[in-house]
Each structure stands twice: as structure tokens, then as C-alpha cells.
Amino acid sequence: MGSCQYCTQSLFLPPNPTLEKPIISRSCIDESFRSSATTTASALTTPYASDEQDDSMVEYQPEGVDGGMSDDDVFPQRLPERLSTLDEVCAFMVIEGTVSVGVSGTPSPARTRLSSSVSHLSPGPATPPLPNFGGTWKMKHCFGDFDAFMKEMGVGWALRKAAAAVGYGVNATFHTIKQDGATFCCETKNPKGIFMRTFVINGEEQDDVDPVNKKPLTVIPSWDGTAIHIECRVKDGDDMPVTRRYLEGETMVVEQTTPKGISVKRLFEKA
């Protein structure tokens, strides 16, 4: 005999000296646990194969108790071939997954399915909401080896020096973004002019144009967690830097990494 740690209801359990986890009665299984059980009810209600026993019933005993025991030593209940209702599912989760349930003798598929289903009842972490980058942003800082970055991209010495002389656009570069669902539109304004790019964040290939040299590009915009991840290559040509745009607090970060692994970051704040 044992008693529920919450309501002190008397519960029948077979002798099991290794039982150290708290015992919880069926009536004390809370709603969140029952809700979690719902997600695995369909898996638990499929037919179980018998294990050298009757085709329609499988006898259960606590894990840790050696097989070959008498009928008086095992659970008096018998598990039907099908658990047809959520109540029946919860009835066999009375110890809230803290004690495994085993089959007398050699383990069967029934034991494996039940124990693995119980172990996955805990809900995973909540998915964070996708950010909206809408608004006008001003570039305030930059980090990384921009000279090496631009050199790998084929930018000549003179233009690289000119870019360094103006701080690579710090305090002179603005992004005005409009984001409507999966549609993303970014207007870039810097000393070179105004450039517009629009794409759909859907993980599919899309046509684009390099705003500087007007070369046709192929881009694949997708979500990487809460970051916009854009793979890019010259159409029918070489790969271009991968761009990731994400938020760090109130700061928007635009990070680019070349095919050879040179990474630069531009940090923007709301204008």
C-alpha cells in the first residue's frame, strides 16, 4: 500500500523497495498533465503486440522487479490491447512518468512504446515570436575586418580606402524597412545613393539585383530562429556573403559572412 503525496488517498502498489519517487493518485493528475497526455493519446491507443501472453492483454509490473514473479506480486490490473480513452491513458500514468512501467519477463514493444511516450510528455520551449524590423534605422557602429571583406568581394584598393575614410558608413547609412507578413522591403540610403530591395521570407529562390554593380543575383531568404537569413549568389555564378539580420535588445544587427568566413557587423539604432 502507498498514499498520494497530495490527497493522502490510499493506493495499492506491489512491494518495490527501489521506489523513491513521489506517488500521485489519478485524481490528482492536474489539467496540464492531462493536456500533455492528449498529445500522445493516439500513440498509446494503437494495438500493442503481446509478449508470449494472451493476444489481447499484457500484464505489467514496476520496473526493477525481476521477471518470473507470482501473480500476487504484479499489478492486479491488466493493460488492454487498446487504450481507448484519455482516462485509460491517464490511469496508467498515475505516477506522472517518474516511475517506469515494465512487462513481466522479457521487455515487449508495449513497454518500449509506453515508457518512451511518457518521457516525451513535457512540452518543449515556446517558440519566440518573429520580430518586426519596421521603421527607420541609423547605422551607429561597425565591427570586423571590412578591408579584407571588401577585398574578397573584388572591391579595388582605391574604393576600399575611400570606404575606410568615411568609417564604412557609420552615422551616414540609413535603413528604412517595411515588413508586412513575409514581405520585407528595405530602402538603404548612404553616400553612394538610395537602393531598394524587396523579397519574401519563405525559403525559396528569388531574383534580385546587386544595388552597386547591378549584377543579377539569386537570393534565398528564410527565418533562422528570430533572424532573417539570406543566402546569396551571383546568378549562375559565385556565392556571395550570407546576411543575417536580427535584434539585440533595441539594436538591429546586420551580419555578413563571406564564403571564406570573413565576418563583419553593422549595428543600427532607431533614428
Side-chain angles (χ1 to χ4, degrees):
M1 295 291 291
S3 60
C4 174
Q5 67 168 356
Y6 295 116
C7 68
T8 68
Q9 175 185 349
S10 295
L11 301 171
F12 175 83
L13 289 174
N16 186 357
T18 64
L19 183 62
E20 298 178 354
K21 301 294 185 178
I23 301 171
I24 304 172
S25 71
R26 175 179 173 181
S27 61
C28 286
I29 298 174
D30 60 27
E31 288 301 318
S32 63
F33 180 66
R34 291 174 62 84
S35 177
S36 297
T38 303
T39 64
T40 57
S42 60
L44 291 171
T45 55
T46 56
Y48 293 147
S50 63
D51 190 5
E52 299 181 358
Q53 301 183 51
D54 182 79
D55 287 341
S56 63
M57 310 293 272
V58 177
E59 192 169 19
Y60 273 72
Q61 71 179 47
E63 189 169 29
V65 179
D66 292 335
M69 302 184 69
S70 68
D71 289 341
D72 293 335
D73 293 324
V74 299
F75 278 125
Q77 307 101 317
R78 284 178 171 268
L79 179 65
E81 185 181 27
R82 291 185 62 85
L83 299 179
S84 60
T85 69
L86 178 57
D87 285 341
E88 291 176 0
V89 173
C90 291
F92 284 92
M93 297 177 181
V94 80
I95 309 177
E96 203 175 9
T98 58
V99 176
S100 299
V101 183
V103 180
S104 177
T106 305
S108 73
R111 170 181 176 175
T112 303
R113 179 174 299 181
L114 183 60
S115 61
S116 64
S117 298
V118 171
S119 67
H120 288 86
L121 284 178
S122 299
T127 302
L130 297 178
N132 190 309
F133 298 92
T136 299
W137 301 80
K138 182 179 182 179
M139 182 176 168
K140 301 293 289 185
H141 307 281
C142 66
F143 300 96
D145 191 343
F146 275 84
D147 187 75
F149 177 90
M150 296 173 70
K151 185 176 181 179
E152 185 178 336
M153 293 299 98
V155 179
W157 178 85
L159 288 179
R160 299 202 310 271
K161 292 302 178 184
V166 296
Y168 299 108
V170 172
N171 291 320
T173 301
F174 296 84
H175 284 185
T176 300
I177 298 172
K178 294 181 181 180
Q179 189 175 339
D180 182 10
T183 302
F184 186 92
C185 179
C186 179
E187 177 191 86
T188 300
K189 182 179 180 182
N190 60 29
K192 292 183 179 180
I194 299 176
F195 313 98
M196 183 75 69
R197 300 184 72 178
T198 300
F199 50 80
V200 179
I201 311 171
N202 60 4
E204 298 179 0
E205 288 192 355
Q206 300 164 45
D207 292 332
D208 198 5
V209 176
D210 188 305
V212 177
N213 57 32
K214 307 304 180 182
K215 289 183 179 179
L217 305 175
T218 297
V219 297
I220 305 177
S222 62
W223 285 106
D224 179 12
T226 57
I228 298 177
H229 177 99
I230 305 176
E231 298 179 24
C232 180
R233 68 175 184 272
V234 177
K235 201 170 187 66
D236 301 323
D238 296 332
D239 288 339
M240 298 285 285
V242 172
T243 301
R244 296 181 76 249
R245 186 185 300 264
Y246 54 93
L247 296 177
E248 287 186 348
E250 299 298 319
T251 300
M252 180 177 70
V253 182
V254 179
E255 178 181 356
Q256 290 186 292
T257 305
T258 69
K260 293 183 179 180
I262 300 173
S263 181
V264 297
K265 291 182 179 181
R266 300 173 175 87
L267 274 58
F268 293 76
E269 296 177 2
K270 281 290 184 71

